[in-house]
Amino acid sequence: RKSFVKYLQRNKVKVVFAEYGTVGAEIFNECKSANVPLVVTFRGYDVHHRKVVALHKEKYAAMFKSCAAVVAVSKDIQSTLQRNFEISQTVYYLPSPVNTDLFQFLAERPGKNVFLYVGRFAESKSPHLVILSFYEVLKTLPDATLIMIGSTGASDLQEACMILVRALKIEVSVIFKGVQTPEQVYEQMCKADVFVQHSLTTPLFGDREGTPVSVREAMAAGLPVVATKHAGIEEMIENGVHGILVEEYDYMAMSEAMMELCKQPELGKQLAANASAALRSNPLLKHHSQQLVNII
């Protein structure tokens, strides 16, 4: 820790930007010792997960007394911070950026009933419920395919999902791609018909998402989105305007929405066009770098 202080001083660092609240909690004392302002961004689990918050509660309280600025990637996180902690600073709302140069809008979809999931295999993203929804879809659209991109989270949920797929005897229809580069993700988005994510509030620890980047990448790419009425997702997607949102845990409703978009491709096109336009015109995303510079 002393070496970190010396590093900050030796390199004349003007500001430290901590991407997660838990990271900020571990380094705020060193930043204070080096007289370097600390800007902390909260992204989801670091403010919602009960076990994580309990472990860092005292450090958070001390950090909020000395850090220069606090940033939340969703309004849900912003309100949670303001409600649960004494924070004298302004809590800025600034969602994470999307590479719209890479994730170009594609109007036409292949029409092969291909569904895509992109994200960590984490409880708050509930990929296993996506699989259950897809299993219901297969009963009506037996030629459908589910592509799953991402790696395991803190648990072994990825393998649990593989076990579920084998138990349901749908291995031929579900393809696990593992970790992919952003370029590879975009390539898969161009081959898909519908993007699916079943984010939820976990029952044991109350973990929640921020504003999932993969959902916004799908929006930018013109890929129709089926997701849940959850945290930052609802802040970016108006149900029936920019995508279709269902209640958390309602995997049957999600399967119905997935089938609806496959059966009504024109509806998917309209929702995707609305979503991409709204995302690309959002000033917080369009001028994200400048917004962050202004905060700093």
Side-chain angles (χ1 to χ4, degrees):
R1 291 185 180 273
K2 289 182 179 179
S3 62
F4 182 52
V5 174
K6 291 180 179 178
Y7 173 86
L8 295 176
Q9 293 172 332
R10 182 172 63 252
N11 291 278
K12 299 180 180 179
V13 174
K14 294 183 179 180
V15 62
V16 171
F17 186 77
E19 273 285 358
Y20 290 88
T22 50
V23 175
E26 295 301 324
I27 64 172
F28 78 91
N29 271 328
E30 286 69 29
C31 293
K32 187 176 180 180
S33 297
N35 198 29
V36 176
L38 172 66
V39 177
V40 185
T41 294
F42 283 80
R43 308 191 67 85
Y45 83 93
D46 47 1
V47 68
H48 290 305
H49 195 292
R50 296 189 189 105
K51 190 173 182 180
V52 171
V53 173
L55 185 64
H56 293 84
K57 192 171 184 178
E58 291 185 6
K59 289 184 178 181
Y60 278 1
M63 177 182 70
F64 289 137
K65 292 179 181 179
S66 61
C67 66
V70 180
V71 180
V73 300
S74 72
K75 293 179 181 177
D76 176 60
I77 292 174
Q78 182 186 44
S79 62
T80 300
L81 285 168
Q82 293 170 328
R83 183 174 61 252
N84 295 341
F85 297 94
E86 292 184 10
I87 306 177
S88 57
Q89 310 93 319
T90 299
V91 179
Y92 296 94
Y93 165 58
L94 185 63
S96 299
V98 174
N99 185 350
T100 52
D101 291 332
L102 172 59
F103 290 88
Q104 297 271 336
F105 179 79
L106 180 67
E108 296 301 321
R109 293 286 136 196
K112 295 183 178 180
N113 300 331
V114 176
F115 299 92
L116 178 65
Y117 166 89
V118 180
R120 291 177 298 110
F121 281 72
E123 285 83 354
S124 59
K125 293 181 183 292
S126 293
H128 48 303
L129 293 191
V130 171
I131 292 170
L132 289 180
S133 296
F134 178 70
Y135 179 66
E136 296 299 321
V137 168
L138 283 175
K139 295 176 182 178
T140 302
L141 303 173
D143 65 334
T145 303
L146 172 62
I147 306 295
M148 306 195 80
I149 294 176
S151 62
T152 189
S155 65
D156 291 325
L157 200 54
Q158 183 176 11
E159 188 167 34
C161 286
M162 291 177 172
I163 292 170
L164 177 60
V165 166
R166 181 174 295 187
L168 295 173
K169 297 182 175 15
I170 57 174
E171 301 102 310
V172 70
S173 301
V174 181
I175 301 171
F176 293 91
K177 289 281 189 179
V179 177
Q180 301 273 279
T181 66
E183 290 77 14
Q184 290 171 319
V185 170
Y186 177 64
E187 182 181 352
Q188 291 299 323
M189 285 186 173
C190 291
K191 296 177 180 178
D193 296 293
V194 179
F195 183 89
V196 191
Q197 184 159 321
H198 200 117
S199 300
L200 52 73
T201 303
T202 62
L204 188 59
F205 293 114
D207 195 13
R208 290 169 65 84
E209 293 259 60
T211 308
V213 173
S214 58
V215 171
R216 286 178 287 120
E217 288 173 343
M219 292 169 67
L223 182 58
V225 174
V226 175
T228 47
K229 298 175 181 177
H230 175 83
I233 295 175
E234 282 194 284
E235 298 165 15
M236 301 298 294
I237 296 178
E238 182 181 348
N239 185 31
V241 177
H242 309 111
I244 299 180
L245 302 182
V246 302
E247 298 294 337
E248 295 180 16
Y249 293 91
D250 194 346
Y251 72 91
M252 291 296 293
M254 175 161 278
S255 71
E256 291 168 5
M258 292 162 69
M259 286 187 286
E260 182 180 3
L261 289 183
C262 282
K263 292 177 180 179
Q264 300 186 57
E266 291 303 315
L267 171 61
K269 283 184 181 180
Q270 187 58 61
L271 295 176
N274 294 344
S276 184
L279 182 138
R280 292 173 185 277
S281 63
N282 186 320
L284 295 181
L285 297 175
K286 192 175 181 180
H287 307 293
H288 183 275
S289 296
Q290 187 56 54
Q291 296 281 351
L292 187 56
V293 168
N294 292 344
I295 291 172
I296 293 173

